[in-house]
């Protein structure tokens, strides 16, 4: 076991105390001091004694501090170097979406943190004095590799989201072109699969609506029913849509898209004879 571990941190002492010293898991004794010859660096000394668990806590806190303080800067550099066609605004939006990938098993928060922890332990086998800026710059290759994968995932997610938004705008455009429009359309979600479409009087108009898109003898899959539903609704372009038997919905993304295309025109029935039937 190490007698003493010294961590040299470049930056404002108040910031260090806020993010590191006051970390909720930093329940072990550490000391902070300044080196007269290196005014920009604050040194934090930690004595792990013989308690492996305390050392694990310390390494865990340092890993979280690295992510908290350095990660956005490193990701921004990766985006600047590898995705030069993106604008400053686009890169800013991409960085804001990082929490959406926090649970990814390959490069999510836990995976990135674990890569840092392993690198810290590897370093401590060689030296017990660590200058954090140098460690982050030269000793976190696996962590940087995960950040590159994370950046790629964020960029692909951003591009997919923009394509989806453009798709929704296109569907909204087609809806707005339709005239005249029925006042109300009812959509009954079937318990097994498929949908029943009714007009405002409750008349089943599913067959004539679907016949414009498929032949009668075609056996439809669940995905085909989903595609048919949104195609029919866009063609009808009703002023109001009421969805019945909401609990039977399997494709929630489909109804999310419908809600966006028919902004403010879709409601969900809380229970009626159609729902129970």
């Amino acid at each position: 076991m190490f007698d003493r571990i010294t961590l040299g941190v470049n930056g404002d002492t108040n910031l260090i105390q806020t993010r590191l010293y006051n970390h909720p898991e930093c329940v072990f004794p550490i000391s902070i001091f300044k080196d007269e010859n290196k005014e920009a660096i604050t040194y934090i000394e930690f004595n792990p004694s013989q308690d492996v668990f305390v050392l694990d806590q310390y390494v865990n806190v340092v890993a979280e501090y690295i992510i908290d303080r350095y990660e956005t800067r490193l990701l921004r550099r990766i985006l600047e170097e590898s995705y030069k066609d993106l604008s400053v605004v686009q890169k800013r939006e991409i960085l804001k979406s990082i929490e959406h990938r926090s649970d990814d098993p390959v490069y999510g928060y836990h995976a990135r943190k674990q890569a840092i922890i392993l690198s810290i332990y590897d370093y401590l086998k060689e030296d017990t004095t660590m200058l954090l800026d140098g460690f982050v710059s030269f000793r976190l290759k696996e962590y940087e590799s995960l950040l590159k994968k994370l950046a790629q995932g964020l960029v692909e997610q951003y591009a997919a989201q923009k394509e989806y938004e453009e798709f929704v705008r296109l569907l909204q455009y087609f809806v707005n072109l339709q005239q005249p429009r029925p006042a109300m359309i009812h959509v009954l979600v079937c318990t097994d699969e498929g949908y029943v479409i009714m007009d405002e009087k409750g008349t089943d108009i599913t067959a004539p609506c679907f016949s414009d898109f498929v032949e009668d003898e075609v056996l439809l899959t669940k995905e085909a029913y989903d595609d048919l539903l949104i195609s029919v609704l866009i063609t009808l372009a009703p002023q109001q849509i009421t969805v019945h038997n909401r609990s039977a919905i399997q494709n929630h993304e489909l109804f999310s898209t419908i809600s966006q295309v028919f902004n403010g025109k879709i409601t969900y029935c809380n229970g009626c004879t159609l729902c129970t039937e």
Side-chain angles (χ1 to χ4, degrees), residues 10-69:
N10 190 6
D12 183 86
T13 304
N14 292 330
L15 181 68
I16 296 167
Q17 289 180 327
T18 300
R19 295 188 179 181
L20 182 60
Y21 185 68
N22 293 333
H23 189 286
E25 293 188 24
C26 188
V27 295
F28 38 80
I30 64 175
S31 58
I32 301 176
F33 65 93
K34 301 286 288 187
D35 187 336
E36 295 180 358
N37 299 321
K38 299 179 180 179
E39 295 182 356
I41 299 179
T42 298
Y43 289 91
I44 300 171
E45 282 191 348
F46 162 65
N47 185 349
S49 64
Q50 299 298 318
D51 194 335
V52 176
F53 174 71
V54 173
L55 177 61
D56 290 341
Q57 281 186 306
Y58 174 78
V59 173
N60 182 75
V61 170
V62 173
E64 290 187 3
Y65 177 79
I66 290 174
I67 293 176
D68 183 37
R69 183 172 181 186

Side-chain angles (χ1 to χ4, degrees), residues 23-192:
H23 189 286
E25 293 188 24
C26 188
V27 295
F28 38 80
I30 64 175
S31 58
I32 301 176
F33 65 93
K34 301 286 288 187
D35 187 336
E36 295 180 358
N37 299 321
K38 299 179 180 179
E39 295 182 356
I41 299 179
T42 298
Y43 289 91
I44 300 171
E45 282 191 348
F46 162 65
N47 185 349
S49 64
Q50 299 298 318
D51 194 335
V52 176
F53 174 71
V54 173
L55 177 61
D56 290 341
Q57 281 186 306
Y58 174 78
V59 173
N60 182 75
V61 170
V62 173
E64 290 187 3
Y65 177 79
I66 290 174
I67 293 176
D68 183 37
R69 183 172 181 186
Y70 292 90
E71 185 160 272
T72 300
R73 185 194 315 170
L74 294 172
L75 274 173
R76 187 180 294 113
R77 187 191 70 193
I78 292 171
L79 291 176
E80 291 289 343
E81 294 175 351
S82 303
Y83 302 94
K84 297 180 180 180
D85 55 325
L86 295 173
S87 68
V88 174
V89 175
Q90 289 174 323
K91 291 171 184 174
R92 188 182 301 121
E93 291 180 1
I94 289 171
L95 287 173
K96 288 181 180 178
S97 65
I98 187 172
E99 66 274 5
H100 297 154
R101 292 301 184 105
S102 60
D103 295 331
D104 190 283
V106 177
Y107 49 76
Y109 181 88
H110 178 74
R112 302 195 306 274
K113 178 181 171 183
Q114 191 63 26
I116 296 173
I117 288 174
L118 293 176
S119 294
I120 293 175
Y121 277 117
D122 285 342
Y123 181 89
L124 292 178
K125 294 175 183 177
E126 305 170 11
D127 198 343
T128 56
T129 299
M130 176 192 297
L131 295 179
L132 202 55
D133 278 0
F135 176 75
V136 172
S137 298
F138 303 108
R139 299 298 294 265
L140 288 179
K141 300 305 179 185
E142 180 61 29
Y143 173 60
E144 287 185 12
S145 176
L146 292 179
L147 285 183
K148 290 178 180 178
K149 293 179 181 178
L150 172 61
Q152 180 181 355
L154 293 176
V155 170
E156 292 174 351
Q157 173 184 282
Y158 177 81
Q161 178 63 29
K162 291 303 177 184
E163 289 178 3
Y164 173 75
E165 292 172 0
E166 182 60 31
F167 171 68
V168 169
R169 283 194 292 268
L170 183 62
L171 295 184
Q172 290 173 335
Y173 171 75
F174 286 136
V175 168
N176 293 331
L177 285 179
Q178 306 301 321
Q179 291 292 344
R181 304 177 183 180
M184 171 68 75
I185 287 294
H186 297 271
V187 175
L188 174 62
V189 183
C190 300
T191 304
D192 46 8

Side-chain angles (χ1 to χ4, degrees), residues 213-257:
F213 299 94
V214 295
E215 299 293 337
D216 292 340
E217 65 272 11
V218 174
L219 183 62
L220 297 177
T221 63
K222 183 177 67 174
E223 292 76 13
Y225 273 120
D226 292 343
D227 292 340
L228 272 175
L229 176 62
I230 195 167
S231 298
V232 168
L233 291 177
I234 289 171
T235 301
L236 294 174
Q239 299 176 35
Q240 191 68 38
I241 301 171
T242 299
V243 179
H244 301 269
N245 199 21
R246 184 177 188 175
S247 61
I249 293 177
Q250 298 182 29
N251 190 342
H252 293 278
E253 291 183 3
L254 170 68
F255 282 86
S256 175
T257 299

